[in-house]
mmCIF file of all heavy atoms in Angstrom:
data_model
loop_
_atom_site.group_PDB
_atom_site.id
_atom_site.type_symbol
_atom_site.label_atom_id
_atom_site.label_comp_id
_atom_site.label_asym_id
_atom_site.label_seq_id
_atom_site.Cartn_x
_atom_site.Cartn_y
_atom_site.Cartn_z
ATOM 1 N N ALA A 1 -64.528 35.022 26.844
ATOM 2 C CA ALA A 1 -65.482 35.839 27.727
ATOM 3 C C ALA A 1 -65.088 35.821 29.143
ATOM 4 O O ALA A 1 -65.177 36.867 29.776
ATOM 5 C CB ALA A 1 -66.940 35.331 27.473
ATOM 6 N N ASP A 2 -64.613 34.665 29.684
ATOM 7 C CA ASP A 2 -64.078 34.542 31.019
ATOM 8 C C ASP A 2 -62.897 35.518 31.214
ATOM 9 O O ASP A 2 -62.817 36.203 32.174
ATOM 10 C CB ASP A 2 -63.686 33.173 31.311
ATOM 11 C CG ASP A 2 -64.773 32.146 31.452
ATOM 12 O OD1 ASP A 2 -65.989 32.538 31.691
ATOM 13 O OD2 ASP A 2 -64.634 30.970 31.101
ATOM 14 N N ALA A 3 -62.030 35.580 30.250
ATOM 15 C CA ALA A 3 -60.839 36.367 30.320
ATOM 16 C C ALA A 3 -61.307 37.865 30.349
ATOM 17 O O ALA A 3 -60.654 38.689 31.036
ATOM 18 C CB ALA A 3 -59.973 36.115 29.115
ATOM 19 N N MET A 4 -62.331 38.147 29.630
ATOM 20 C CA MET A 4 -62.799 39.590 29.629
ATOM 21 C C MET A 4 -63.473 40.002 30.951
ATOM 22 O O MET A 4 -63.270 41.089 31.433
ATOM 23 C CB MET A 4 -63.736 39.897 28.473
ATOM 24 C CG MET A 4 -62.974 39.883 27.107
ATOM 25 S SD MET A 4 -61.639 41.138 26.882
ATOM 26 C CE MET A 4 -60.255 40.110 27.351
ATOM 27 N N ASP A 5 -64.040 39.005 31.532
ATOM 28 C CA ASP A 5 -64.582 39.195 32.874
ATOM 29 C C ASP A 5 -63.351 39.444 33.887
ATOM 30 O O ASP A 5 -63.432 40.213 34.806
ATOM 31 C CB ASP A 5 -65.417 38.005 33.350
ATOM 32 C CG ASP A 5 -66.778 37.973 32.669
ATOM 33 O OD1 ASP A 5 -67.231 39.040 32.053
ATOM 34 O OD2 ASP A 5 -67.460 36.916 32.778
ATOM 35 N N ALA A 6 -62.325 38.639 33.707
ATOM 36 C CA ALA A 6 -61.144 38.885 34.527
ATOM 37 C C ALA A 6 -60.591 40.253 34.332
ATOM 38 O O ALA A 6 -60.064 40.874 35.300
ATOM 39 C CB ALA A 6 -60.095 37.742 34.231
ATOM 40 N N PHE A 7 -60.530 40.656 33.088
ATOM 41 C CA PHE A 7 -59.997 42.035 32.828
ATOM 42 C C PHE A 7 -60.829 43.059 33.468
ATOM 43 O O PHE A 7 -60.296 44.030 33.992
ATOM 44 C CB PHE A 7 -59.982 42.259 31.283
ATOM 45 C CG PHE A 7 -59.366 43.532 30.859
ATOM 46 C CD1 PHE A 7 -58.066 43.688 30.576
ATOM 47 C CD2 PHE A 7 -60.204 44.659 30.645
ATOM 48 C CE1 PHE A 7 -57.496 44.943 30.203
ATOM 49 C CE2 PHE A 7 -59.688 45.927 30.326
ATOM 50 C CZ PHE A 7 -58.379 46.083 30.089
ATOM 51 N N ALA A 8 -62.213 42.949 33.394
ATOM 52 C CA ALA A 8 -63.017 43.880 34.069
ATOM 53 C C ALA A 8 -62.826 43.965 35.501
ATOM 54 O O ALA A 8 -62.827 45.073 36.074
ATOM 55 C CB ALA A 8 -64.512 43.618 33.678
ATOM 56 N N ALA A 9 -62.668 42.766 36.150
ATOM 57 C CA ALA A 9 -62.459 42.694 37.510
ATOM 58 C C ALA A 9 -61.171 43.321 37.934
ATOM 59 O O ALA A 9 -61.115 44.088 38.947
ATOM 60 C CB ALA A 9 -62.498 41.286 37.999
ATOM 61 N N ALA A 10 -60.125 43.113 37.164
ATOM 62 C CA ALA A 10 -58.807 43.647 37.560
ATOM 63 C C ALA A 10 -58.723 45.180 37.392
ATOM 64 O O ALA A 10 -58.085 45.890 38.184
ATOM 65 C CB ALA A 10 -57.703 42.964 36.639
ATOM 66 N N THR A 11 -59.366 45.673 36.438
ATOM 67 C CA THR A 11 -59.339 47.130 36.046
ATOM 68 C C THR A 11 -60.416 47.940 36.817
ATOM 69 O O THR A 11 -60.402 49.161 36.731
ATOM 70 C CB THR A 11 -59.423 47.317 34.612
ATOM 71 O OG1 THR A 11 -60.659 46.745 34.038
ATOM 72 C CG2 THR A 11 -58.267 46.734 33.883
ATOM 73 N N ALA A 12 -61.339 47.333 37.520
ATOM 74 C CA ALA A 12 -62.312 48.070 38.308
ATOM 75 C C ALA A 12 -61.573 48.859 39.395
ATOM 76 O O ALA A 12 -60.591 48.429 39.976
ATOM 77 C CB ALA A 12 -63.302 47.070 38.947
ATOM 78 N N LYS A 13 -62.073 50.036 39.609
ATOM 79 C CA LYS A 13 -61.459 50.924 40.648
ATOM 80 C C LYS A 13 -61.550 50.262 42.001
ATOM 81 O O LYS A 13 -62.680 49.829 42.372
ATOM 82 C CB LYS A 13 -62.136 52.301 40.603
ATOM 83 C CG LYS A 13 -61.454 53.354 41.448
ATOM 84 C CD LYS A 13 -60.211 53.816 40.751
ATOM 85 C CE LYS A 13 -59.406 54.744 41.687
ATOM 86 N NZ LYS A 13 -59.898 56.109 41.741
ATOM 87 N N PRO A 14 -60.525 50.207 42.807
ATOM 88 C CA PRO A 14 -59.249 50.829 42.579
ATOM 89 C C PRO A 14 -58.164 49.927 42.011
ATOM 90 O O PRO A 14 -56.931 50.339 41.924
ATOM 91 C CB PRO A 14 -58.876 51.143 44.131
ATOM 92 C CG PRO A 14 -59.426 49.944 44.907
ATOM 93 C CD PRO A 14 -60.719 49.587 44.166
ATOM 94 N N GLY A 15 -58.544 48.758 41.552
ATOM 95 C CA GLY A 15 -57.565 47.806 40.975
ATOM 96 C C GLY A 15 -57.608 46.526 41.792
ATOM 97 O O GLY A 15 -57.787 46.504 43.001
ATOM 98 N N ALA A 16 -57.564 45.281 41.046
ATOM 99 C CA ALA A 16 -57.716 44.028 41.790
ATOM 100 C C ALA A 16 -56.906 42.959 41.120
ATOM 101 O O ALA A 16 -56.416 43.138 40.052
ATOM 102 C CB ALA A 16 -59.237 43.765 41.775
ATOM 103 N N ILE A 17 -56.871 41.867 41.832
ATOM 104 C CA ILE A 17 -56.101 40.717 41.369
ATOM 105 C C ILE A 17 -57.181 39.689 40.837
ATOM 106 O O ILE A 17 -58.030 39.253 41.630
ATOM 107 C CB ILE A 17 -55.255 39.987 42.434
ATOM 108 C CG1 ILE A 17 -54.420 41.022 43.075
ATOM 109 C CG2 ILE A 17 -54.431 38.867 41.802
ATOM 110 C CD1 ILE A 17 -53.419 41.713 42.129
ATOM 111 N N ALA A 18 -57.134 39.347 39.516
ATOM 112 C CA ALA A 18 -58.084 38.391 38.939
ATOM 113 C C ALA A 18 -57.337 37.227 38.426
ATOM 114 O O ALA A 18 -56.358 37.290 37.748
ATOM 115 C CB ALA A 18 -58.807 39.103 37.718
ATOM 116 N N THR A 19 -57.816 36.032 38.918
ATOM 117 C CA THR A 19 -57.079 34.781 38.585
ATOM 118 C C THR A 19 -58.028 33.878 37.817
ATOM 119 O O THR A 19 -59.108 33.482 38.341
ATOM 120 C CB THR A 19 -56.598 34.149 39.860
ATOM 121 O OG1 THR A 19 -55.694 34.967 40.549
ATOM 122 C CG2 THR A 19 -55.902 32.762 39.567
ATOM 123 N N LEU A 20 -57.668 33.609 36.552
ATOM 124 C CA LEU A 20 -58.412 32.736 35.761
ATOM 125 C C LEU A 20 -57.749 31.398 35.561
ATOM 126 O O LEU A 20 -56.594 31.404 35.020
ATOM 127 C CB LEU A 20 -58.667 33.382 34.375
ATOM 128 C CG LEU A 20 -59.427 32.581 33.329
ATOM 129 C CD1 LEU A 20 -60.878 32.160 33.825
ATOM 130 C CD2 LEU A 20 -59.623 33.389 32.028
ATOM 131 N N ILE A 21 -58.378 30.308 35.934
ATOM 132 C CA ILE A 21 -57.734 28.962 35.925
ATOM 133 C C ILE A 21 -58.106 28.299 34.610
ATOM 134 O O ILE A 21 -59.267 28.344 34.186
ATOM 135 C CB ILE A 21 -58.236 28.161 37.104
ATOM 136 C CG1 ILE A 21 -57.750 28.831 38.480
ATOM 137 C CG2 ILE A 21 -57.662 26.722 37.040
ATOM 138 C CD1 ILE A 21 -58.500 28.444 39.614
ATOM 139 N N ALA A 22 -57.057 27.807 33.949
ATOM 140 C CA ALA A 22 -57.166 27.309 32.592
ATOM 141 C C ALA A 22 -56.866 25.868 32.417
ATOM 142 O O ALA A 22 -55.637 25.525 32.249
ATOM 143 C CB ALA A 22 -56.189 28.180 31.686
ATOM 144 N N PRO A 23 -57.885 25.015 32.545
ATOM 145 C CA PRO A 23 -57.587 23.605 32.279
ATOM 146 C C PRO A 23 -57.050 23.360 30.839
ATOM 147 O O PRO A 23 -57.406 24.017 29.918
ATOM 148 C CB PRO A 23 -59.021 22.883 32.370
ATOM 149 C CG PRO A 23 -59.755 23.858 33.248
ATOM 150 C CD PRO A 23 -59.279 25.252 32.947
ATOM 151 N N ALA A 24 -56.083 22.445 30.757
ATOM 152 C CA ALA A 24 -55.323 22.303 29.517
ATOM 153 C C ALA A 24 -56.204 22.067 28.258
ATOM 154 O O ALA A 24 -56.008 22.662 27.236
ATOM 155 C CB ALA A 24 -54.267 21.153 29.715
ATOM 156 N N ASP A 25 -57.275 21.194 28.427
ATOM 157 C CA ASP A 25 -58.070 20.933 27.185
ATOM 158 C C ASP A 25 -58.970 22.073 26.871
ATOM 159 O O ASP A 25 -59.237 22.240 25.659
ATOM 160 C CB ASP A 25 -58.927 19.599 27.509
ATOM 161 C CG ASP A 25 -59.630 19.677 28.853
ATOM 162 O OD1 ASP A 25 -59.398 20.504 29.697
ATOM 163 O OD2 ASP A 25 -60.501 18.763 29.030
ATOM 164 N N VAL A 26 -59.363 22.900 27.815
ATOM 165 C CA VAL A 26 -60.088 24.179 27.459
ATOM 166 C C VAL A 26 -59.277 25.088 26.636
ATOM 167 O O VAL A 26 -59.721 25.804 25.751
ATOM 168 C CB VAL A 26 -60.610 24.858 28.729
ATOM 169 C CG1 VAL A 26 -61.305 26.162 28.436
ATOM 170 C CG2 VAL A 26 -61.524 23.822 29.492
ATOM 171 N N GLY A 27 -57.896 25.050 26.830
ATOM 172 C CA GLY A 27 -57.050 25.841 26.013
ATOM 173 C C GLY A 27 -56.772 25.223 24.627
ATOM 174 O O GLY A 27 -56.625 25.944 23.636
ATOM 175 N N TRP A 28 -56.543 23.910 24.569
ATOM 176 C CA TRP A 28 -56.090 23.350 23.307
ATOM 177 C C TRP A 28 -57.208 22.938 22.397
ATOM 178 O O TRP A 28 -57.061 22.812 21.221
ATOM 179 C CB TRP A 28 -55.166 22.097 23.532
ATOM 180 C CG TRP A 28 -55.681 20.818 24.053
ATOM 181 C CD1 TRP A 28 -56.794 20.176 23.596
ATOM 182 C CD2 TRP A 28 -55.228 20.071 25.193
ATOM 183 N NE1 TRP A 28 -56.985 18.984 24.249
ATOM 184 C CE2 TRP A 28 -55.970 18.861 25.249
ATOM 185 C CE3 TRP A 28 -54.159 20.198 26.082
ATOM 186 C CZ2 TRP A 28 -55.847 17.945 26.207
ATOM 187 C CZ3 TRP A 28 -53.890 19.175 27.052
ATOM 188 C CH2 TRP A 28 -54.750 18.095 27.042
ATOM 189 N N ASP A 29 -58.443 22.723 23.008
ATOM 190 C CA ASP A 29 -59.597 22.303 22.111
ATOM 191 C C ASP A 29 -60.053 23.485 21.218
ATOM 192 O O ASP A 29 -59.884 24.608 21.571
ATOM 193 C CB ASP A 29 -60.755 21.895 22.955
ATOM 194 C CG ASP A 29 -60.630 20.481 23.515
ATOM 195 O OD1 ASP A 29 -59.688 19.740 23.069
ATOM 196 O OD2 ASP A 29 -61.445 20.065 24.374
#
């Protein structure tokens, strides 16, 4: 859901840089 919020922020007009920080355990758990 965080990644989809990043996608929405990046694709909002006129375009943006969205940075999602991914702690290792949040990815592997």
Side-chain angles (χ1 to χ4, degrees):
D2 293 333
M4 290 301 93
D5 287 345
F7 182 90
T11 55
K13 190 73 188 279
I17 310 302
T19 300
L20 178 58
I21 298 157
D25 49 350
V26 176
W28 74 50
D29 281 350

